[in-house]
Amino acid sequence: MIEATPLSITHLKTKVRSYWPLIKSLQTGLLISTGLAGYMSARCPVFNLGTIAALTASLFLSISGSTILNMWWDRDIDAKMRRTQKRPLACGQISPAEALRLGLILSTLGVGMAAAMDALYGLIIFAGLFFDVVVYSIWLKRRTCWSIVWGGISGAMPILAGRALGLGALDWIGAALALGVLFWIPTHILTFSMKFYADYQAAGVPTFPSTYGFGFTRAVIAVSSVLAAVSMGMAAWGIGMTVGYLRLLIVLSGGLLALAAAVLLRPSERVNFGLFKYASLYMLSAMLLMMI
Amino acid sequence: MSKMTPLDRILLLATGLLAAYQVAVGVDGFSALPMIAYTISFGVLLVAGLLLIILGFEALDSPWVVIVSTIIPLSLSLGLVWEHLAAYRGVYLLFSIAGFLAVVITRSFPMPGKLSVITLAIVHGIAGMVIFLLPILLAAQGSVPRGYALIGVGGALIGAGGLLLSFLKAGKPILSKEIIFKVLPGLLFLMTAAFVAGFALAK
């Protein structure tokens, strides 16, 4: 018994270390920040630490759960792509059954916790998980490049859910925030699918570049960047963001639009990568501005 | 190409945060045109700082750098002139627009002789001198608080940085590329800090 404790801790540490890459911590963190921003944008009593902690935990569990389920489903294509072939499931570090179990447990806990907090909040969180795992990954991802629209809708759910939890209802500002995330996602994913074009081709996953060509994809990126910036601006105005922060959001949106224009007019690998990274930074900054 | 060090990234992040503060808070209370002009200059500084962090010094290879590095001093000097030299508002607005267009055109199309370099030197020279001299003279006269002179210090730094970058891009480097990249993050940070402090102390 005395020896079992350190062994158990070591075992647990090893497990956590091998599970961690399954949840895509950066992406999960960014989505949690959108949920928190949606909640705080409602200008509800945000210093209720209990609610904030529960919101964060339910988002973490449900987003991590759906991410693991996606990885479980996509393990065969991950193994074919150079970028993803070292993921724990693709390289056999974790068994599919174990990942499926973990994904289902986390998802159930996350959705259950969300539903216990508020029925509407729980429903939106469930919708996000359903769109992400069932509609996006299982049904559409291998059939059509337009699957990213559903991936985008599921990505927009945390911010809508957070806002709904704060307000107790849905409103146009929540919809604008969700649209902001929805339109931001193509900017993010399409630049990625251009950078790793060969990988997606090797795995047989249809993408915009492989279906419509790079020129059209760049045009979609530019248009979606404009729409993301407009949606975020509208939501910020609706929330009643101060003029100073609004000005800052406009400046950051200007950077996003300038990069999208550069991708369209003077495409290069570097500009493409710059837009991909900047788009993440833009989203994080926009969320921080919505919170304060 | 020089590799960006962690210190370079920290300095650029601090530059971006200072510029963000200036856009969000520091330009409140100005009339419309100076507010827009300062927002543009600090906004460009913010986005440029972020892109440098993301892309590294390779970003400076872009042909857009010369044009972007012209926007900052032109818009900043326009704001200062609009605020303090009412008689020259129209002329300087015209100079800013014409100067910017001249740089865009001379950098976008093949030009005879040294026209592009001369255009760059004139535009940067005038804008830089305005940012350097005007706040210092106004502070010396006592028409603004003394701390306002810090904007002039920032002006000296932006002039140095702008000229170093512009001439490097124009193929006539004043210092070696390695030295310029070594000092650039520190220069940008000190310049932005001087501007932000100067504007804050004048309030």
Side-chain angles (χ1 to χ4, degrees), chain B residues 72-142:
Chain B
I72 299 171
L74 268 182
S75 53
L76 195 57
S77 59
L78 174 62
L80 290 171
V81 168
W82 201 270
E83 252 193 290
H84 300 290
L85 298 175
Y88 296 95
R89 282 177 178 177
V91 176
Y92 202 83
L93 179 62
L94 212 63
F95 163 74
S96 300
I97 295 168
F100 178 66
L101 289 177
V103 170
V104 172
I105 291 165
T106 54
R107 302 309 305 175
S108 305
F109 303 100
M111 289 291 143
K114 295 181 174 177
L115 187 61
S116 59
V117 178
I118 292 168
T119 307
L120 208 59
I122 291 172
V123 173
H124 267 276
I126 293 175
M129 288 307 272
V130 168
I131 304 170
F132 173 51
L133 289 176
L134 188 57
I136 291 175
L137 289 175
L138 289 169
Q141 283 171 359

Side-chain angles (χ1 to χ4, degrees), chain A residues 219-243:
Chain A
V220 172
I221 289 172
V223 171
S224 69
S225 298
V226 172
L227 293 174
V230 169
S231 302
M232 282 294 172
M234 276 172 58
W237 174 75
I239 287 165
M241 190 182 274
T242 62
V243 175

Side-chain angles (χ1 to χ4, degrees), chain B residues 174-189:
Chain B
I174 300 167
L175 293 173
S176 76
K177 203 174 188 176
E178 286 68 32
I179 293 176
I180 292 174
F181 289 163
K182 202 171 238 179
V183 299
L184 191 65
L187 198 68
L188 282 173
F189 171 70

Side-chain angles (χ1 to χ4, degrees), chain A residues 244-245 247-248 251-252 255 259 266 270 273-274 277-278 281, chain B residues 23-24 27-28 35 39 43 46 50-51 54-55 58 63-64:
Chain A
Y245 291 146
R247 212 163 35 221
L248 189 52
V251 163
L252 291 167
L259 273 173
R266 291 209 176 204
R270 193 193 306 148
F273 179 69
K277 287 280 184 189
Y278 185 89
L281 211 55
Chain B
V23 169
V27 300
D28 281 338
M35 190 192 285
T39 300
L46 165 61
L50 293 177
L51 286 179
I54 291 169
L55 297 172
E58 286 86 353
W64 297 93

Side-chain angles (χ1 to χ4, degrees), chain A:
Chain A
M1 279 302 281
I2 294 167
E3 280 178 11
T5 309
L7 267 179
S8 302
I9 290 171
T10 312
H11 180 69
L12 193 68
K13 271 185 184 171
T14 312
K15 279 284 174 198
V16 170
R17 225 189 329 256
S18 56
Y19 286 157
W20 192 250
L22 284 178
I23 66 163
K24 295 186 185 171
S25 52
L26 278 178
Q27 182 186 290
T28 299
L30 194 56
L31 286 172
I32 291 173
S33 79
T34 66
L36 288 170
Y39 177 69
M40 293 184 191
S41 75
R43 301 289 181 253
C44 46
V46 291
F47 293 109
N48 184 338
L49 280 180
T51 310
I52 287 281
L55 173 70
T56 309
S58 59
L59 286 172
F60 175 77
L61 290 168
S62 49
I63 295 166
S64 302
S66 68
T67 307
I68 292 172
L69 291 176
N70 282 340
M71 281 215 198
W72 166 75
W73 181 258
D74 285 338
R75 62 190 184 281
D76 57 330
I77 53 177
D78 280 351
K80 290 179 192 160
M81 294 168 67
R82 221 169 40 173
R83 181 177 66 84
T84 53
Q85 63 193 192
K86 285 188 178 156
R87 284 179 177 171
L89 269 163
C91 69
Q93 194 185 337
I94 293 175
S95 75
E98 188 181 359
L100 177 62
R101 231 177 1 250
L102 181 67
L104 286 174
I105 291 170
L106 293 184
S107 301
T108 309
L109 281 175
V111 174
M113 194 173 173
M117 288 168 70
D118 181 85
L120 179 61
Y121 172 65
L123 183 68
I124 299 170
I125 291 292
F126 173 74
L129 197 136
F130 180 78
F131 289 144
D132 191 33
V133 179
V134 179
V135 180
Y136 169 64
S137 285
I138 296 177
W139 182 22
L140 295 174
K141 187 174 176 180
R142 297 167 197 233
R143 294 164 196 252
T144 167
C145 62
W146 289 95
S147 62
I148 63 160
V149 173
W150 291 97
I153 290 172
S154 68
M157 290 298 116
I159 199 165
L160 186 66
R163 174 95 187 159
L165 181 67
L167 277 183
L170 294 171
D171 68 344
W172 74 267
I173 296 171
L177 285 169
L179 282 175
V181 177
L182 172 62
F183 289 126
W184 164 81
I185 282 175
T187 303
H188 187 78
I189 292 182
L190 294 184
T191 47
F192 206 62
S193 61
M194 286 201 290
K195 185 174 167 65
F196 296 103
Y197 176 79
D199 261 7
Y200 285 106
Q201 282 287 86
V205 176
T207 59
F208 266 71
S210 63
T211 309
Y212 298 107
F214 278 66
F216 182 76
T217 306
R218 288 189 193 103
V220 172
I221 289 172
V223 171
S224 69
S225 298
V226 172
L227 293 174
V230 169
S231 302
M232 282 294 172
M234 276 172 58
W237 174 75
I239 287 165
M241 190 182 274
T242 62
V243 175
Y245 291 146
L246 207 53
R247 212 163 35 221
L248 189 52
L249 186 65
I250 290 169
V251 163
L252 291 167
S253 302
L256 184 73
L257 299 182
L259 273 173
V263 164
L264 195 61
L265 301 172
R266 291 209 176 204
S268 73
E269 178 82 6
R270 193 193 306 148
V271 176
N272 199 25
F273 179 69
L275 177 61
F276 172 72
K277 287 280 184 189
Y278 185 89
S280 297
L281 211 55
Y282 169 79
M283 184 49 65
L284 187 62
S285 309
M287 292 306 110
L288 287 173
L289 289 174
M290 301 284 175
M291 287 184 203
I292 50 181

